């Protein structure tokens, strides 16, 4: 039996996992990062447009600070997020970006004086302050009050990931790639590590650690059309679910991005619209101002995606062999801007569609359609990042329901969350690993390892004749058609039944190659089985949530219902023999909020069933503010919502012209 | 017969071998499939894998030309498979081999991660500075043009294609390749990095570094990110010649 011991074990080598590994190494802990792929190939690399942090360097970001970023994030989440976590995040984000700058991320910097930008389809001139020269620049993104999204052209995730990965290498973080965690080792509610399959030779081994972190990203690949990399199958989330103890939060909260390119589904960054690009229909008409006169193309992602589908349903889509789509027009930004700030977008459009988006007029328009993009749901954790129900199991980044994003994530908050949670959760995780002594006996480890050996052998013995690839395709189609952007009770009920049926059918498959070694066919069986469990959590959560909030939109319940649904969906899988998840709810307390639920600013004001506690809390907040009289914003904030951060992370952030105010 | 009369059939021949399996012998296997509009080698290989041969191994991650996973030799040239469209091969015959230089895993899959990590460590691919950064304070200003220049070189995706196209690499196993030399040039340009040319000389001032390059420029010809490798290798060589 092969057992590898370490202090800190991290599953997943994207931004969140690697940044956490750095935190652990800084305290001298032996640290191993497991990854299915070379870490620099992680999906973090695909983040294009940028990272939100309220630096307020650019003139278009003037007046920005933690409070504004907080308000945008809470509104964006449709009040589904944990406001304490949002506060922790916005306070740390400027530090994260400054750390990355010191690590060499070549952030786009502010030039001298006048610049031409495109705002609302028109060219305008902005003038930067002299004292901002050379500081980190920012672009506009959807759902934000200020230009806050910092970037390196449209390869932001790539440059961030390389900097963080190289810093991890510098600190001798051990990276074991081509390794897949397929089960969590746990005993009496405490996590001791994971069972790992070597993807080169199929060998199984146990990685045992004082503390374990899952940072494996999202589960977008349960959908037929997704911008996610093909490794985003949610396996880390699923193995946590399969413990029967770990809770998943808000799995039905799935984001659809407005502008993946058709048909490949490759993302075209929100930066396209942030920089001034517009959406057009089959007549070349810019339709978003009709639906959202204020924010237009830069409304929140969930809103723009729904409006696009709504417009297509009115017969305004462009016909194609791949179904109807709309156009994204960035040609109005000019070739120079595109070739500097949107060059990957240009490369993608040319390589995959033969379209040069810098070509003027129709010729440069790119076909786009909303597709699955981000998983707000994930392993439910406390603000420290530790599982709510299993000690020693931490989770960070997209894999977690921390819960920063509630029911809709703002563009630019994903890579930001990844590094910020790597700093915060990474620190709490490190503390746990330092304080905890390995306390498990080998029989527990052996039993978990043997269970997986038996499981894989049992898969190879199955002989029902079904093909796992067909089951996967069916799952992905069901999710696409019945658990998509617009949802309704009948379809969701169908989806739950069909997915449950598919899960049962996985017992009736036949794998051609009977090798326990390198066997991609075998990989697919255990992965699809895990994906089906996640798909069921998504579908069942969506079926039971009879309201519309953020990205979860029920045509039969179109209102956000703060009276009944201000709560987090919690799914568990108590028994391995279960074919459906168990669902319960975690209340979100309005009376503890810094910013009680209100109208979000999209659509009509009566699309909301308010909770009287909102008004009560508003009142309380007014009283508190009055009682404090004239004090600075930090004192007010502290009086409304208390939050903690490890180390120096709670320190105030300096800004141009205002210092630490 | 193709499912749709307008579409042609293509033949994809793949190198098959599993070095882990003692009974496995290297061989070619040919698959015939219907070409659909806009088909890339990613789409074609996924189709072969899911419909014809579940045991075929290859590496894709982002399928968008961003992550560098899917480098392979396509009709004799190293390329990113995800960005290669099948329509560009007029006779419809495509032969795929695993990327040379790297450790072969199985079929079209190779181990690039460990090589790239070693290279990154050996070349100390990180900022070296004595300055302490106070994360609460305003960041150090950088000339926007310099930041752009660093970014230009930071675009490397470690796909390994430069090494697979390099003649020096065939002769010198420890040659760091264009990927390594570009990396050093990137940090040499970065104003955060306080290393001197003497320091960089210690890393690449030999024949496994900048003096090993024979200037055949296969790297620049095949680099999928169009990095200015020729210029940057020449630049580093000029800098290194001046040291001592």
């Amino acid at each position: 039996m092969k057992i590898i011991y370490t202090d800190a074990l991290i599953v997943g080598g994207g931004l969140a996992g690697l940044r956490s590994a750095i935190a652990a190494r800084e305290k001298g802990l032996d640290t191993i990062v497991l990854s299915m792929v070379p870490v620099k190939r992680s999906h973090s690399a695909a983040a294009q447009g940028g990272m939100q942090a309220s630096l307020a360097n650019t003139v278009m970001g003037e007046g920005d600070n933690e409070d504004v970023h907080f308000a945008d994030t809470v509104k964006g989440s449709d009040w589904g997020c944990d406001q304490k976590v949002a506060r922790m995040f916005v306070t740390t984000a400027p530090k994260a970006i400054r750390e990355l700058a010191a690590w060499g991320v070549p952030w786009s910097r502010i030039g001298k004086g006048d610049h031409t930008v495109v705002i609302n389809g028109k060219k305008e001139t902005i003038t930067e302050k002299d004292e901002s020269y050379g500081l980190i620049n920012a672009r506009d993104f959807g759902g934000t009050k200020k230009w806050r999204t910092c970037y390196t052209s449209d390869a932001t995730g790539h440059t961030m990931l390389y900097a963080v990965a190289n810093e991890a290498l510098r600190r001798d973080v051990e990276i074991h790639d081509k390794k897949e965690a397929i089960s969590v080792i746990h005993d009496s509610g405490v996590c001791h590590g994971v069972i790992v399959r070597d993807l080169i030779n199929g060998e199984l081994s146990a990685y045992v650690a004082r503390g374990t972190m899952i940072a494996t990203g999202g589960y977008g690949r349960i959908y037929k059309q997704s911008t996610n990399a093909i490794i985003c199958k949610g396996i880390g989330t699923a193995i946590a679910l399969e413990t029967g103890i770990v809770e998943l939060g808000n799995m039905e909260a799935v984001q659809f991005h407005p502008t993946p390119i058709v048909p490949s589904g490759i993302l075209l960054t929100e930066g396209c619209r942030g920089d001034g690009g517009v959406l057009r229909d089959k007549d070349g008409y810019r339709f978003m101002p009709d639906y959202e006169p204020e924010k237009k193309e830069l409304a929140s992602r969930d809103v723009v995606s729904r409006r696009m589908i709504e417009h297509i349903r009115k017969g305004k889509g462009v016909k194609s062999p791949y179904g109807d789509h709309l156009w994204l027009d960035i040609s109005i930004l000019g070739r120079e801007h595109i070739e500097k700030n949107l060059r990957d977008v240009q490369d993608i459009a040319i390589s995959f569609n033969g379209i040069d988006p810098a070509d003027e007029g129709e010729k440069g328009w790119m076909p786009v359609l909303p597709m699955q993009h981000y998983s707000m749901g994930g392993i439910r954790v406390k603000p420290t990042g530790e599982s709510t129900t299993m000690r020693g199991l931490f989770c960070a980044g997209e894999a977690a329901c921390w819960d920063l994003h509630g029911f809709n994530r703002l563009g630019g908050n994903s890579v930001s969350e990844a590094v910020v949670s790597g700093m915060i959760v990474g620190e709490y995780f490190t503390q746990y690993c330092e304080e905890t002594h390995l306390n498990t006996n080998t029989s527990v480890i052996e039993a978990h390892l043997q269970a997986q050996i038996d499981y894989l052998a049992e898969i190879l013995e199955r002989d029902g004749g079904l093909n796992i690839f067909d089951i996967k395709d069916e799952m992905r189609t069901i999710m696409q058609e019945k658990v998509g952007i617009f949802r309704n009770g009948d379809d969701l009920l169908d989806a739950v039944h069909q997915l449950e049926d598919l899960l049962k059918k996985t017992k009736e498959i036949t794998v051609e190659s009977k090798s326990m070694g390198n066997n991609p066919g075998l990989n697919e069986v255990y992965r699809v089985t895990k994906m089906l469990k996640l798909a069921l959590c998504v579908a069942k959560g969506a079926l039971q949530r009879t309201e519309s909030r953020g990205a979860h939109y029920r045509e039969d319940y179109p209102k956000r219902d703060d009276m009944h649904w201000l709560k987090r969906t919690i799914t568990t899988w108590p028994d391995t023999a279960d074919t459906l998840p168990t669902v319960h709810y975690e209340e979100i307390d309005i009376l503890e909020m810094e910013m009680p639920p209100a109208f979000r600013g999209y659509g009509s004001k009566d699309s909301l069933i308010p909770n009287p506690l909102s008004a009560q809390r508003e009142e309380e907040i007014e009283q508190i503010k009055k009682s404090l009289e004239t004090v600075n914003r930090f004192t007010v904030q502290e009086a409304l919502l208390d939050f903690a951060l490890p180390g120096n992370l709670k320190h105030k952030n300096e800004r141009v012209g205002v210092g630490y105010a | 017969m193709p499912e749709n009369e307008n579409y042609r059939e293509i033949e994809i021949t793949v190198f098959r071998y599993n070095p882990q399996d003692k009974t496995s012998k290297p061989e070619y296997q040919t698959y015939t499939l219907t070409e659909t509009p806009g088909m890339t080698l990613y789409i074609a290989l996924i189709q072969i894998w899911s419909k014809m041969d579940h045991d075929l191994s290859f590496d894709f991650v982002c399928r968008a030309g961003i992550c560098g996973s899917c480098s392979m030799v396509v009709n004799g040239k190293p390329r990113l498979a995800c960005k290669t469209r099948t329509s560009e091969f007029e006779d419809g015959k495509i032969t795929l081999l695993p990327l040379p230089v790297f450790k072969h895993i199985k079929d079209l899959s190779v181990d690039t991660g460990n090589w790239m990590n070693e290279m990154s460590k050996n070349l100390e691919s990180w900022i070296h500075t004595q300055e302490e950064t106070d994360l609460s304070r305003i960041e150090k200003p950088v000339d926007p043009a310099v930041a752009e220049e660093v970014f230009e070189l930071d675009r490397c995706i470690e796909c390994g294609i430069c090494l697979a196209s390099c003649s020096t690499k065939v002769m010198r196993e420890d040659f760091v390749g264009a990927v390594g030399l570009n990396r050093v040039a990137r940090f040499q340009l970065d104003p955060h990095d306080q290393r001197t040319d003497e320091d960089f000389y210690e890393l690449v001032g030999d024949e496994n570094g900048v003096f090993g390059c024979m200037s055949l420029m296969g790297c620049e010809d095949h680099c999928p990110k169009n990095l200015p490798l020729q210029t940057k290798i020449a630049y580093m060589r000029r800098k290194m010649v001046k040291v001592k």
Side-chain angles (χ1 to χ4, degrees):
Chain A
M1 187 173 64
K2 193 170 165 190
I3 307 180
I4 292 137
Y5 291 93
T6 190
D7 297 333
L9 176 64
I10 295 167
V11 186
L15 279 171
L18 290 172
R19 182 59 188 81
S20 299
I22 290 172
R25 280 300 299 147
E26 289 282 292
K27 294 285 159 62
L29 296 172
D30 281 344
T31 307
I32 294 178
V33 170
L34 300 170
S35 174
M36 286 174 74
V37 297
V39 291
K40 286 174 182 165
R41 315 236 187 272
S42 304
H43 189 51
S44 300
Q48 299 173 354
M51 162 172 176
Q52 281 208 47
S54 60
L55 298 182
N57 289 330
T58 164
V59 67
M60 300 304 284
E62 240 171 60
D64 200 8
N65 59 32
E66 297 83 4
D67 298 352
V68 189
H69 191 184
F70 172 79
D72 283 346
T73 302
V74 172
K75 266 190 210 169
S77 79
D78 223 354
W79 278 271
C81 75
D82 181 337
Q83 298 194 4
K84 191 176 275 198
V85 168
R87 267 291 167 196
M88 293 163 74
F89 165 73
V90 297
T91 308
T92 308
K95 299 177 184 78
I97 204 161
R98 285 167 174 165
E99 178 176 82
L100 291 167
W103 287 350
V105 172
W107 297 110
S108 171
R109 300 285 173 148
I110 294 173
K112 277 204 171 75
D114 290 355
H115 300 275
T116 307
V117 294
V118 176
I119 299 172
N120 192 19
K122 288 187 204 78
K123 287 200 167 148
E124 288 184 28
T125 301
I126 58 171
T127 310
E128 296 290 359
K129 300 181 290 277
D130 286 348
E131 58 268 43
S132 290
Y133 173 73
L135 299 182
I136 297 172
N137 208 349
R139 56 165 41 131
D140 200 6
F141 249 44
T144 63
K145 275 224 153 60
K146 304 283 177 186
W147 290 25
R148 186 189 298 126
T149 306
C150 309
Y151 61 98
T152 57
S153 184
D154 55 359
T156 313
H158 164 83
T159 56
M160 292 170 70
L161 182 62
Y162 270 55
V164 174
N166 286 331
E167 288 291 329
L169 290 171
R170 168 193 201 167
R171 288 166 177 78
D172 291 320
V173 170
E174 262 191 74
I175 291 169
H176 296 189
D177 68 28
K178 302 259 178 195
K179 305 274 188 194
E180 182 174 22
I182 58 169
S183 155
V184 173
I185 304 168
H186 62 99
D187 179 29
S188 316
V190 183
C191 176
H192 299 299
V194 290
I195 302 297
V196 171
R197 185 154 185 272
D198 183 314
L199 296 176
I200 295 177
N201 61 23
E203 189 185 31
L204 291 186
S205 51
Y207 279 71
V208 177
R210 299 184 191 181
T212 304
M213 173 183 284
I214 291 178
T216 48
Y219 44 88
R221 282 278 155 180
I222 61 173
Y223 283 84
K224 188 175 176 186
Q225 291 183 313
S226 170
T227 63
N228 286 188
I230 63 171
I231 52 171
C232 301
K233 297 174 195 271
I235 303 300
T237 313
I239 62 172
L241 177 72
E242 286 178 333
T243 59
I245 299 167
V246 174
E247 299 178 333
L248 306 187
N250 286 346
M251 290 294 282
E252 70 272 30
V254 175
Q255 181 174 77
F256 297 83
H257 194 289
T259 62
I261 201 162
V262 176
S264 64
I266 296 168
L267 181 69
L268 304 177
T269 172
E270 186 154 319
C272 291
R273 285 168 291 132
D275 288 3
V278 298
L279 293 166
R280 299 188 188 279
D281 64 14
K282 66 171 186 180
D283 305 317
Y285 178 71
R286 184 186 172 199
F287 57 91
M288 274 308 293
D290 294 352
Y291 293 101
E292 296 296 339
E294 195 200 333
K295 298 292 282 183
K296 306 176 186 75
E297 281 85 357
L298 288 174
S300 249
R301 284 181 179 171
D302 56 329
V303 177
V304 179
S305 291
R306 276 196 295 277
R307 295 305 199 183
M308 289 170 73
I309 299 296
E310 207 179 324
H311 202 60
I312 288 175
R313 284 178 174 183
K314 287 183 186 163
K316 295 292 183 183
V318 185
K319 302 265 176 253
S320 89
Y322 305 99
D324 290 2
H325 65 76
L326 293 160
W327 298 115
L328 174 62
D329 175 10
I330 61 170
S331 67
I332 52 175
L333 307 180
R335 184 168 291 276
E336 193 192 336
H337 179 91
I338 292 169
E339 290 182 351
K340 186 172 145 198
N341 288 321
L342 296 167
R343 57 198 284 178
D344 274 4
V345 164
Q346 185 186 33
D347 187 28
I348 287 162
I350 291 174
S351 305
F352 296 95
N353 292 63
I355 295 168
D356 181 352
D359 283 346
E360 276 180 39
E362 274 177 65
K363 212 175 149 212
W365 297 355
M366 300 175 284
V368 293
L369 188 70
M371 296 181 198
Q372 193 286 337
H373 180 60
Y374 189 83
S375 313
M376 274 80 72
I379 297 172
R380 181 73 187 118
V381 294
K382 304 173 201 168
T384 58
E386 191 175 22
S387 158
T388 43
T389 47
M390 183 176 284
R391 279 183 49 219
L393 182 74
F394 288 71
C395 184
E398 189 175 351
C401 176
W402 191 17
D403 172 3
L404 173 63
H405 310 299
F407 275 77
N408 176 61
R409 172 178 69 75
L410 290 185
N413 263 356
S414 65
V415 277
S416 199
E417 181 196 23
V419 275
V420 166
S421 67
M423 293 168 85
I424 300 172
V425 175
E427 203 56 46
Y428 288 124
F429 170 64
T430 301
Q431 282 172 19
Y432 177 90
C433 292
E434 284 181 308
E435 290 159 6
T436 308
H437 292 283
L438 205 53
N439 182 20
T440 181
N441 59 50
T442 41
S443 65
V444 170
I445 302 166
E446 216 166 305
H448 274 89
L449 186 56
Q450 193 57 47
Q452 290 306 309
I453 294 171
D454 294 346
Y455 173 58
L456 296 185
E458 183 266 320
I459 289 177
L460 293 179
E461 278 168 20
R462 291 178 197 170
D463 195 19
L466 295 182
N467 180 343
I468 195 69
F469 291 82
D470 294 338
I471 291 176
K472 178 174 75 174
D473 286 348
E474 276 185 62
M475 167 189 73
R476 297 180 68 200
T477 304
I478 293 165
M479 293 306 289
Q480 189 73 28
E481 291 174 359
K482 301 188 170 172
V483 199
I485 298 177
F486 286 98
R487 302 170 173 178
N488 67 70
D490 292 345
D491 281 348
L492 289 168
L493 188 62
D494 267 357
V496 170
H497 289 323
Q498 288 176 353
L499 292 167
E500 185 183 15
D501 194 39
L502 284 179
L503 181 61
K504 291 176 186 163
K505 279 187 181 163
T506 57
K507 302 274 185 204
E508 297 163 34
I509 51 97
T510 303
V511 185
E512 283 163 23
S513 164
K514 300 299 176 192
S515 166
M516 283 284 260
N518 187 322
N519 184 351
L522 172 61
N523 302 357
E524 208 58 10
V525 179
Y526 65 73
R527 288 178 192 163
V528 171
T529 307
K530 290 175 173 24
M531 291 165 83
L532 272 164
K533 290 180 184 169
L534 298 183
L536 274 161
C537 291
V538 176
K540 194 146 190 276
L543 171 66
Q544 290 186 204
R545 184 174 283 273
T546 49
E547 67 152 355
S548 293
R549 185 179 296 274
H552 169 73
Y553 193 86
R554 286 283 300 259
E555 289 181 286
D556 43 355
Y557 296 92
K559 292 186 180 188
R560 191 183 92 200
D561 183 355
D562 289 347
M563 277 302 287
H564 303 97
W565 284 106
L566 208 58
K567 43 187 155 193
R568 229 161 252 132
T569 306
I570 302 293
T571 39
T572 56
W573 206 280
D575 192 321
T576 45
D578 290 348
T579 54
L580 283 175
T582 300
V583 180
H584 68 278
Y585 294 93
E586 178 190 322
E587 294 294 330
I588 302 176
D589 188 356
I590 293 176
L591 296 177
E592 284 185 4
M593 287 184 186
E594 182 178 340
M595 200 172 131
F599 175 56
R600 193 175 159 215
Y602 300 114
S604 77
K605 281 199 175 156
D606 57 14
S607 63
L608 164 66
I609 302 170
N611 188 319
L613 290 176
S614 284
Q616 186 186 326
R617 179 63 179 157
E618 284 291 358
E619 186 93 353
E620 276 177 23
I621 290 171
E622 280 315 304
Q623 289 302 324
I624 294 169
K625 280 183 179 167
K626 247 185 230 163
S627 71
L628 291 169
E629 290 172 4
T630 45
V631 287
N632 65 42
R633 64 184 177 97
F634 300 101
T635 316
V636 176
Q637 193 283 315
E638 268 167 32
L640 297 179
L641 182 130
D642 186 35
F643 70 99
L645 280 168
N648 295 337
L649 296 180
K650 209 175 172 181
H651 286 189
K652 290 177 184 171
N653 299 302
E654 190 190 11
R655 291 182 181 82
V656 170
V658 294
Y660 291 93
Chain B
M1 274 295 287
E3 292 153 29
N4 180 324
E5 283 175 22
N6 298 321
Y7 302 156
R8 63 173 183 166
E9 283 193 334
I10 55 171
E11 279 180 14
I12 296 187
T13 301
V14 180
F15 177 79
R16 302 297 308 270
Y17 178 51
N18 180 2
Q20 268 84 231
D21 177 357
K22 289 195 174 70
T23 63
S24 171
K25 287 195 180 72
E27 60 184 359
Y28 285 105
Q29 194 166 344
T30 300
Y31 306 90
T32 306
L33 60 159
T34 304
E35 184 182 53
T36 46
M39 183 180 255
T40 59
L41 283 177
Y42 162 70
I43 296 170
L45 283 168
I46 290 286
Q47 209 175 93
I48 292 171
W49 178 54
S50 59
K51 306 265 190 248
M52 299 180 217
D53 191 339
H54 299 339
D55 196 39
L56 181 64
S57 294
F58 46 78
D59 298 314
F60 286 99
V61 177
C62 78
R63 56 80 174 94
I66 291 166
C67 77
S69 301
C70 63
S71 311
M72 56 182 75
V73 179
V74 184
N75 284 0
K77 290 193 171 172
R79 311 178 57 163
L80 293 180
C82 72
K83 279 179 80 178
T84 304
R85 294 217 258 171
T86 54
S87 60
E88 60 174 275
F89 303 95
E90 277 174 21
D91 63 356
K93 290 185 171 39
I94 303 167
T95 303
L96 304 177
L97 288 146
L99 206 64
V101 178
F102 298 96
K103 190 179 163 215
H104 186 224
I105 292 175
K106 179 170 170 273
D107 306 333
L108 298 172
S109 175
V110 296
D111 180 2
T112 54
N114 286 305
W115 194 94
M116 291 295 172
N117 287 347
E118 272 313 297
M119 177 276 293
S120 297
K121 280 179 118 161
N122 292 340
L123 297 182
E124 302 181 16
S125 293
W126 47 80
I127 298 291
H128 292 54
T129 180
Q130 299 301 316
E131 280 175 34
E132 289 279 320
T133 306
D134 179 345
L135 299 183
S136 292
R137 301 201 55 192
I138 291 173
E139 65 278 7
K140 194 171 143 173
V142 176
D143 180 337
V146 173
E148 271 168 38
E149 241 180 299
V150 174
F151 170 70
E152 182 66 27
L153 306 189
D154 213 29
R155 290 166 51 243
C156 169
I157 55 174
E158 295 190 355
C159 64
I161 284 175
C162 56
L163 293 160
S165 350
C166 176
S167 308
T168 303
K169 183 70 190 165
V170 179
M171 299 186 301
R172 294 186 190 279
E173 211 191 319
D174 295 328
F175 183 54
V176 299
V179 59
L181 298 174
N182 174 72
R183 181 66 50 79
V184 172
R186 177 240 175 276
F187 283 98
Q188 200 271 347
L189 276 174
D190 195 320
H192 295 95
D193 200 314
Q194 296 176 333
R195 277 178 287 185
T196 61
D197 288 347
E198 283 74 16
D199 296 328
F200 290 116
Y201 188 90
E202 292 299 317
L203 299 172
V204 292
D206 63 6
E207 296 192 328
N208 285 324
V210 79
F211 300 119
C213 170
M214 300 185 294
S215 305
L216 297 176
M217 291 302 136
C219 53
E220 175 143 332
D221 292 345
H222 295 100
C223 175
K225 300 305 279 185
N226 297 315
L227 293 169
L229 299 171
Q230 179 170 9
T231 328
K232 290 303 155 191
I233 292 172
Y235 169 80
M236 282 312 294
R237 192 184 287 151
R238 281 200 307 278
K239 288 270 171 201
M240 295 301 99
V241 164
K242 285 181 195 154
V243 173
K244 288 178 187 177

